[in-house]
Amino acid sequence: MRNMETSDAVPILAALAQPTRLNVFRVLVQAGPVGLPAGRIAELAGVPPSSLSFHLKELSHAGLAGSRQNGRFVIYTARFETMNGLLAYLTDNCCGGNPCTPVSSCDLQPVVKKTASRKEPA
Amino acid sequence: MRNMETSDAVPILAALAQPTRLNVFRVLVQAGPVGLPAGRIAELAGVPPSSLSFHLKELSHAGLAGSRQNGRFVIYTARFETMNGLLAYLTDNCCGGNPCTPVSSCDLQPVVKKTASRKEPA
DNA sequence: TCTATATTTTGATAGAAATGGAATAATGGA
DNA sequence: TCCATTATTCCATTTCTATCAAAATATAGA
């Protein structure tokens, strides 16, 4: 993935800056690559389907979620590479080169970023 | 710092999810612990003083900026520990709060609660 | 004190975002 | 085909957010 710009980071941050959406994203992260059908997410998040749909669209549009159809179900998954890109941006641009190294890292993505300042397993 | 909750992360994300504010925060990060007077920030960000004041208040309220008075000037500084806490939260939640030191743990079968007996696609 | 400078607050306005019920679409099975 | 299930879109409503001129506040120096 190309290095993230401020203009790219803002919509991703905005997508996460909402309690329901941040919660939904965490649920998707926990579900892993298998993902979850929309109805199950609505259940877990405790929001009516129309609201959930609205928030899933926001997450998708920000690149934080993907979806695939499976029968009558639409399965949503977390897009880890977008989150990794955001973390790289924040680490590179908002920590002034200070020791801001996170305590742990998630690199589910097979695609490896070339960002130097975030440590990643080889 | 105590571990950040989702309810703590949302207002911090919201503070950063705005072009002017993210830009201002980056400027403060670059300025380092010395900080910058409000007027200079307004200049650098290209926003009128009243707007800048609004955004600085948002950042301060989120814990991302601190301020001290110096004569007629109010010097703003970035609060790195808040950003560190946010990065830690996002990094931890990128893997569902599981210890993801082994990268493979994210690739393994995720822990998905199967409460319902309803049949769902795998 | 008076005056210039620095910043914040006020207040009005415009626009965006969130909510959820109802209607619509799409799919699979009988 | 018809029906039940799943999900999205439409819609009205409400609530937040951002903007910035103008007024207010605060400080330093003359």
Side-chain angles (χ1 to χ4, degrees):
Chain A
M1 181 190 278
R2 207 183 124 281
N3 262 0
M4 190 172 286
E5 300 281 333
T6 299
S7 55
D8 304 319
V10 167
I12 302 172
L13 287 164
L16 295 171
Q18 208 281 338
T20 299
R21 281 198 298 268
L22 185 52
N23 189 34
V24 164
F25 183 73
R26 293 183 63 197
V27 162
L28 290 179
V29 164
Q30 286 183 45
V34 171
L36 285 173
R40 182 84 186 108
I41 302 170
E43 224 173 68
L44 291 169
V47 289
S50 62
S51 296
L52 195 266
S53 218
F54 167 78
H55 289 300
L56 283 175
K57 193 158 67 174
E58 295 288 303
L59 286 172
S60 300
H61 192 253
L64 285 165
S67 64
R68 63 180 195 273
Q69 187 118 20
N70 187 329
R72 277 178 290 188
F73 300 83
V74 178
I75 311 295
Y76 282 87
T77 48
R79 296 203 56 202
F80 290 85
E81 69 273 27
T82 300
M83 177 56 91
N84 280 339
L86 177 67
L87 286 170
Y89 171 85
L90 292 177
T91 305
D92 291 347
N93 294 276
C94 298
C95 281
N98 293 332
C100 280
T101 317
V103 294
S104 59
S105 73
C106 173
D107 289 289
L108 179 68
Q109 250 321 93
V111 176
V112 177
K113 294 186 314 306
K114 302 300 191 292
T115 308
S117 61
R118 253 174 67 76
K119 83 157 186 239
E120 291 178 355
Chain B
M1 178 190 283
R2 210 185 128 283
N3 264 358
M4 189 174 286
E5 299 283 331
T6 298
S7 54
D8 304 319
V10 167
I12 301 171
L13 288 164
L16 295 170
Q18 210 281 336
T20 300
R21 281 197 297 267
L22 185 53
N23 189 33
V24 164
F25 184 72
R26 291 183 65 195
V27 163
L28 290 179
V29 164
Q30 282 182 283
V34 171
L36 285 172
R40 181 83 186 108
I41 302 171
E43 224 173 68
L44 291 169
V47 290
S50 61
S51 297
L52 195 267
S53 215
F54 167 77
H55 289 300
L56 284 174
K57 193 158 66 173
E58 296 287 304
L59 287 172
S60 300
H61 191 253
L64 285 164
S67 64
R68 69 193 133 89
Q69 189 118 19
N70 188 330
R72 277 179 291 189
F73 300 85
V74 178
I75 311 297
Y76 282 87
T77 47
R79 297 205 53 200
F80 289 84
E81 66 274 28
T82 300
M83 178 55 90
N84 282 343
L86 178 67
L87 285 170
Y89 172 85
L90 292 177
T91 305
D92 290 348
N93 284 272
C94 184
C95 283
N98 297 330
C100 69
T101 320
V103 171
S104 56
S105 76
C106 292
D107 285 319
L108 296 176
Q109 184 66 15
V111 181
V112 179
K113 276 198 307 181
K114 300 232 168 182
T115 316
S117 53
R118 193 170 316 163
K119 89 169 177 193
E120 282 173 359

